[in-house]
Amino acid sequence: MMNSPRATMRQPKPAQRMFWNVFAQNFLNNYGYFAPLSVLGVYLLDRSLSAAQVGTLLLLLSASGRASRALFAPLLDRIPTRCALTTTYLVMGAGYIIVAESAAFVGTALGLFMVGTAYGSCSLLLRVITVRLREDQSLRLMLVKLAVGTNIAATLGPLLSSLLYVQMAPNAPFLVTGLLMVSGGLVCHAFLGSELPELDRGGNWWKSLLHSATRSDLRLVFVATAFTWFALAQIFSFAPIVLGRLLAGPEIVWTIAGLNAALVVGASMPLMKALERAHVDDVGSLILSAVLVLACFALLSGLVNLFTLYLAVALLTVVEIVALPSLSVLLVQNTPGRDHLALLGINAIGMGLGEALGNFVGAVLGSAELHNTFAFAGIAALYGLGAMWLYRFRSKMLDIGGRKATQDGIDVERS
């Protein structure tokens, strides 16, 4: 017979096909966002913009990327998924073309705002679709797989952008990425978008906001999210600027994103398995992350050179691997599935505040020569207090005994 059992077994499950569909679109979205990011700070400074202006533009990029998740969350489940994703790719591509061709501060700000808004909206859509695809895999495992794809994109993109920046023209990374996002978006719309599920109409966004504001465990997660992203922002703000302008040159700036991506791709699964064997819960992972951030900034307060800079990036990458999945699980646990779109959008406010402030501080510190001892020591002390704060409220954040048990952070009775 033509349809043998062996042939049938080779067919992937619908949820698996959709996951790899999401994986491909997540790769494109993150490639588009991260590819020019490694040279963005150097590019803007070389255009005779002040450190404050560069910091403001980086802040705008981060803030728009996070705020768009909250602003557009009430609308995204009203638009066909295929059309919504294609629109975000086209808007991101147009934004990069504006950045490449505009010589004015206002034009650059408009382009970066479009890039950030498109990236944030697309990321939110793909995250909610991923949460819906749970079958025989845990949410944590699927998020780790997406993170691996994200960081492969974050390796290839900065490498290509660095080569284009040095070998062709300073605006070449932005122009090429813009054209790639436009063409890639059209290809995804034609060949991948038809298999994506349509999102269910969510609950009232304002009710979800009120619900999250009255739950102490969610408020604690939002605060932890902001502090985590403040630290992670240094990978793409402080580190590339210091490396490209003070320690080496723009031709090796891509190695920052390369190191970050290589560690995520190679170390994510071993680290997750080690934490599971050690029975480290999600809040324990956040406490470990706070201690690692403390060590990172304490190291930089003593000395900034090539060795300490790369070591700091490695420490922050471990924080990224350990903390981000735990924050996502803590956020959606014991909440109805219909509220996930709103909760993830609201949480983006904390992400945006932390990352935007981190990018601004990183740009200012990276442009202030290497005399930042007291600033780094102060930040290290702050994260030391954060680790103690997390330990103090551990039970409340885990909500031990306070709510019904869930599967992978999803209330199976209500979702």
Side-chain angles (χ1 to χ4, degrees):
M1 294 179 63
M2 296 295 292
N3 295 328
S4 65
R6 181 176 298 177
T8 303
M9 291 177 62
R10 291 175 181 171
Q11 296 297 323
K13 296 179 181 180
Q16 291 176 330
R17 290 199 303 269
M18 283 191 285
F19 173 77
W20 291 113
N21 186 335
V22 172
F23 184 93
Q25 303 220 37
N26 178 70
F27 182 91
L28 176 64
N29 182 46
N30 284 283
Y31 181 95
Y33 183 75
F34 286 107
L37 195 59
S38 61
V39 297
L40 179 59
V42 178
Y43 171 70
L44 295 176
L45 286 171
D46 287 344
R47 292 174 57 188
S48 300
L49 296 176
S50 67
Q53 287 178 314
V54 173
T56 301
L57 288 172
L58 293 177
L59 187 151
L60 175 64
L61 176 63
S62 299
S64 59
R66 303 308 179 187
S68 61
R69 306 186 193 203
L71 293 176
F72 295 114
L75 304 176
L76 291 178
D77 57 357
R78 269 69 174 175
I79 304 173
T81 306
R82 187 179 187 180
C83 295
L85 289 172
T86 302
T87 301
T88 62
Y89 301 139
L90 297 179
V91 170
M92 184 184 292
Y96 274 131
I97 293 173
I98 292 175
V99 172
E101 298 299 324
S102 175
F105 176 85
V106 175
T108 303
L110 174 62
L112 291 178
F113 175 78
M114 293 171 64
V115 170
T117 299
Y119 170 74
S121 300
C122 185
S123 297
L124 177 60
L125 271 172
L126 294 174
R127 180 61 58 90
V128 175
I129 294 171
T130 302
V131 171
R132 288 193 55 190
L133 293 181
R134 65 192 187 280
E135 261 195 357
D136 37 359
Q137 297 188 61
S138 70
L139 176 59
R140 186 193 301 270
L141 180 59
M142 287 193 291
L143 293 175
V144 169
K145 287 182 178 179
L146 287 182
V148 170
T150 294
N151 284 275
I152 293 175
T155 301
L156 298 178
L159 175 59
L160 178 60
S161 293
S162 181
L163 292 174
L164 292 173
Y165 186 92
V166 174
Q167 300 297 330
M168 293 185 62
N171 69 336
F174 307 95
L175 184 60
V176 170
T177 304
L179 296 175
L180 180 64
M181 292 306 299
V182 171
S183 57
L186 295 176
V187 169
C188 286
H189 181 82
F191 296 102
L192 298 179
S194 59
E195 294 185 0
L196 292 174
E198 296 298 330
L199 300 180
D200 296 329
R201 289 292 180 95
N204 184 277
W205 192 88
W206 292 106
K207 288 183 179 179
S208 298
L209 176 61
L210 180 62
H211 177 62
S212 62
T214 56
R215 277 183 55 175
S216 58
D217 57 332
L218 291 181
R219 292 199 304 269
L220 293 170
V221 173
F222 293 156
V223 174
T225 297
F227 276 92
T228 299
W229 280 97
F230 175 91
L232 296 182
Q234 308 313 313
I235 298 176
F236 291 104
S237 58
F238 174 79
I241 291 175
V242 169
L243 182 63
R245 293 179 61 86
L246 301 177
L247 298 180
E251 64 275 2
I252 67 167
V253 164
W254 66 271
T255 59
I256 295 291
L259 174 62
N260 171 260
L263 287 175
V264 170
V265 172
S268 291
M269 295 306 296
L271 271 176
M272 283 298 174
K273 291 178 180 179
L275 291 175
E276 289 181 359
R277 286 196 300 268
H279 303 291
V280 178
D281 57 44
D282 292 307
V283 179
S285 297
L286 297 184
I287 294 173
L288 173 62
S289 299
V291 172
L292 291 175
V293 175
L294 184 158
C296 169
F297 285 106
L299 179 69
L300 294 177
S301 70
L303 180 65
V304 178
N305 56 29
L306 286 175
F307 174 76
T308 58
L309 184 67
Y310 282 113
L311 181 56
V313 171
L315 290 173
L316 291 176
T317 301
V318 176
V319 172
E320 177 183 349
I321 295 170
V322 172
L324 296 189
S326 294
L327 287 169
S328 295
V329 173
L330 286 170
L331 181 66
V332 301
Q333 69 178 357
N334 304 312
T335 58
R338 64 178 179 272
D339 288 341
H340 289 160
L341 182 62
L343 279 177
L344 290 169
I346 295 166
N347 189 55
I349 298 173
M351 297 168 62
L353 290 174
E355 188 179 34
L357 183 59
N359 277 332
F360 180 82
V361 171
V364 172
L365 293 179
S367 304
E369 300 301 330
L370 300 177
H371 308 297
N372 298 306
T373 299
F374 293 107
F376 286 135
I379 295 173
L382 182 63
Y383 279 88
L385 294 174
M388 292 185 287
W389 175 77
L390 286 168
Y391 183 79
R392 167 68 176 80
F393 292 103
R394 176 179 175 275
S395 296
K396 184 173 289 188
M397 293 182 72
L398 290 174
D399 204 23
I400 297 174
R403 304 183 192 277
K404 296 178 181 179
T406 60
Q407 177 182 350
D408 294 328
I410 311 299
D411 188 332
V412 293
E413 295 182 0
R414 293 182 288 175
S415 36

